[in-house]
């Protein structure tokens, strides 16, 4: 895995910065952790179930000369998240960047389920866990960012917040909540030097997409303006852009990363 971490001495946009990436043992989270680490950030790799993968990622960052620690926490549990933030600060330093990628859900939760045949409790659980997965990490890191007068938060939503799909009502509602939170928080904390932005991926080839039939994947690729499906690195690059000081006048943005699918 070390060869996945390029040496970019001329582009150390996050040198001296500490980033906490939730849900970073695989997929978009792991790609984001690699991208930020390659640009100088010390990385806290959060995981819930994927202990082996998270520890391997952190070890590979260290082997390449970076700083990283893997920390287990359920992002829907406020106490665990608070402990994670405290440990990150103690082992790596004050948190400069939060990437709220973990949804509080699992791949098996993200599936086609018509509202008329879905227990209302399941719908409520999906929305509640998604919003907890955003709000608990933000609540844990925001006070120190405000105190220091700087910080960047990037939330990972989904294109479903803009183009809800039949059979995905709960997830569409949850992602719309993420978008609203990004915009509201940006207005609330901008005066303290903290920026809040979001990304809205379309269909990305992660474990969630593994359960989709090949014809569905092909059809989505054909709908995309650039005629392919997305990969985690596509989203990670946008997250890195939003998190860096080079986008310092950008806050409250919620960027679609869907290869032009929504506009095709």
């Amino acid at each position: 895995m070390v060869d996945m971490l390029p040496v970019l001495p001329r582009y150390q946009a996050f040198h001296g910065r500490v980033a906490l990436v939730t849900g970073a043992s695989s997929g978009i989270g792991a790609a984001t952790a690699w991208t930020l680490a390659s640009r100088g950030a010390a990385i806290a790799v959060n995981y819930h179930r994927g202990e082996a993968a998270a520890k391997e990622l952190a070890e590979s960052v260290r082997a390449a000369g970076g700083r990283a620690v893997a920390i287990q926490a359920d992002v829907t549990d406020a106490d665990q998240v608070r402990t994670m933030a405290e440990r990150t600060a103690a082992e790596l330093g004050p948190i400069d960047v939060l990437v709220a990628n973990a949804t509080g859900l699992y791949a098996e939760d993200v599936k086609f389920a018509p509202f008329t045949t879905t227990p209302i409790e399941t719908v409520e659980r999906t929305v509640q866990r998604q919003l907890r997965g955003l709000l608990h990490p933000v609540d844990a890191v925001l006070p120190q960012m405000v105190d220091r007068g700087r910080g960047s938060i990037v939330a990972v939503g989904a294109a479903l917040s803009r183009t809800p799909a039949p059979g995905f009502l709960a997830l569409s509602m949850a992602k719309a909540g993420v978008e609203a939170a990004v915009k509201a928080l940006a207005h609330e904390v901008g005066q303290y030097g903290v920026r809040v932005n979001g990304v809205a991926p379309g269909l990305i080839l992660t474990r969630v997409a593994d359960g989709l039939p090949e014809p569905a994947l092909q059809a989505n690729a054909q709908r995309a303006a650039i005629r392919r499906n997305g990969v985690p690195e596509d989203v990670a690059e946008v997250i890195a852009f939003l998190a860096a000081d080079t986008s310092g006048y950008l806050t409250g943005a919620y960027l679609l990363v869907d290869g032009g699918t929504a506009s095709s």
Side-chain angles (χ1 to χ4, degrees), residues 14 20 26 29 33 44 58-59 75 99 108 150 153 168 178 182 185 189 194 218 228-229 240 247 249 254 256:
F14 296 95
L20 167 59
S26 65
E59 175 57 34
V75 292
V99 180
E108 59 266 29
R150 77 174 195 220
I153 297 171
F168 292 95
V178 171
V182 164
L185 281 169
V189 301
V194 180
Q218 293 177 0
R228 68 171 176 86
N229 289 312
S247 61
Y249 199 59
Y254 188 75
L256 285 174

Side-chain angles (χ1 to χ4, degrees), residues 216-252:
L217 295 175
Q218 293 177 0
N220 187 79
Q222 286 303 307
R223 283 196 300 271
I226 57 176
R227 298 298 188 269
R228 68 171 176 86
N229 289 312
V231 295
E233 290 75 16
D234 291 322
V235 185
E237 289 291 343
V238 179
I239 291 172
F241 163 70
L242 291 172
D245 288 347
T246 47
S247 61
Y249 199 59
L250 186 61
T251 194

Side-chain angles (χ1 to χ4, degrees), residues 105 115 117-129 170:
L105 304 170
F115 179 71
T117 59
T118 302
I120 191 66
E121 294 81 8
T122 300
V123 176
E124 292 173 341
R125 174 184 176 276
T126 297
V127 175
Q128 183 184 66
R129 289 185 68 84

Side-chain angles (χ1 to χ4, degrees), residues 4 40 50 67-68 70-71 77 105 107 109-110 150 154 159 176 183 195 203 207 213 226 234 245:
M4 296 174 61
R67 299 170 60 217
I71 305 178
D77 185 304
L105 304 170
D109 296 321
V110 184
R150 77 174 195 220
V154 183
K183 295 178 183 299
R195 298 185 300 112
L203 196 159
R207 286 185 300 181
I226 57 176
D234 291 322
D245 288 347

Side-chain angles (χ1 to χ4, degrees), residues 156-235:
V156 180
L160 284 171
S161 65
R162 298 284 180 87
T163 54
F168 292 95
L169 178 141
L171 199 58
S172 298
M173 290 173 59
K175 298 303 184 180
V178 171
E179 179 174 4
V182 164
K183 295 178 183 299
L185 281 169
H187 282 283
E188 185 171 328
V189 301
Q191 61 186 309
Y192 305 115
V194 180
R195 298 185 300 112
V196 186
N197 293 291
V199 296
L203 196 159
I204 304 298
L205 297 179
T206 65
R207 286 185 300 181
V208 173
D210 288 345
L212 296 176
E214 186 60 30
L217 295 175
Q218 293 177 0
N220 187 79
Q222 286 303 307
R223 283 196 300 271
I226 57 176
R227 298 298 188 269
R228 68 171 176 86
N229 289 312
V231 295
E233 290 75 16
D234 291 322
V235 185

